[in-house]
Amino acid sequence: MILRAGGGSSTSVSAEQSSFLLSGPVTFAPYYVPERISIDKERKLDKSDNFCGGQDVIDTGSKNRVIHISGKLRANEVGAFNGSLNKNEPFDVVTPAWSGQVRIEAGELEGPIGYDPINKMQLYSYSLDIVSTGIDEGGGQVPKFGIISG
């Protein structure tokens, strides 16, 4: 698979490599695998005591997924990172655990924090907080492995 790196150069990514891609009005696909991808999903439950001493639990819906991605990027990818933060439009995100339409809530860039002697570029640290728009929340997809229960 070929991903377009944020700086405009093509980067080959092996099938075993865990990566992510943020595409839309700007494409951000850093060369380095993110150090962290965290996906939070919260359900809204109404819990009330019943007359037998137990609880009745009613599912009243859920919140959209919140995704946090952080890692390192090269100096030639800073422009794509900043460009993605400046766009007020939805993006598509692809991660190993979940893919769908999102909006960028916040982003942070720090550096330079080091130097990559192989690529001969300065390195920066970044983090992104993105939120699902809700379009892909249900998905209706059956996982390849695992158990689904209603």
Side-chain angles (χ1 to χ4, degrees), residues 12 43 93 112 117 140:
S12 179
R43 300 221 48 94
V93 70

Side-chain angles (χ1 to χ4, degrees), residues 6 13 20 68 90 96 101 140 147:
V13 178
F20 91 101
H68 176 80
Q101 188 181 73
I147 299 172

Side-chain angles (χ1 to χ4, degrees), residues 45-126:
L45 301 177
D46 179 17
K47 298 180 266 184
S48 56
D49 294 333
N50 66 24
F51 67 94
C52 294
Q55 263 188 333
D56 291 325
V57 180
I58 300 169
D59 189 341
T60 61
S62 67
K63 293 184 178 181
N64 292 358
R65 282 174 175 77
V66 176
I67 303 156
H68 176 80
I69 302 170
S70 60
K72 306 281 185 281
L73 54 85
R74 302 177 300 171
N76 68 339
E77 298 165 330
V78 170
F81 178 80
N82 287 329
S84 65
L85 294 179
N86 292 331
K87 298 295 180 184
N88 186 18
E89 299 176 41
F91 287 82
D92 289 319
V93 70
V94 177
T95 72
W98 185 83
S99 299
Q101 188 181 73
V102 297
R103 287 202 175 257
I104 298 174
E105 184 174 31
E108 181 179 338
L109 182 67
E110 181 182 347
I113 59 163
Y115 185 76
D116 179 354
I118 295 169
N119 293 300
K120 297 180 175 37
M121 287 185 229
Q122 291 181 320
L123 291 175
Y124 293 78
S125 177
Y126 75 92

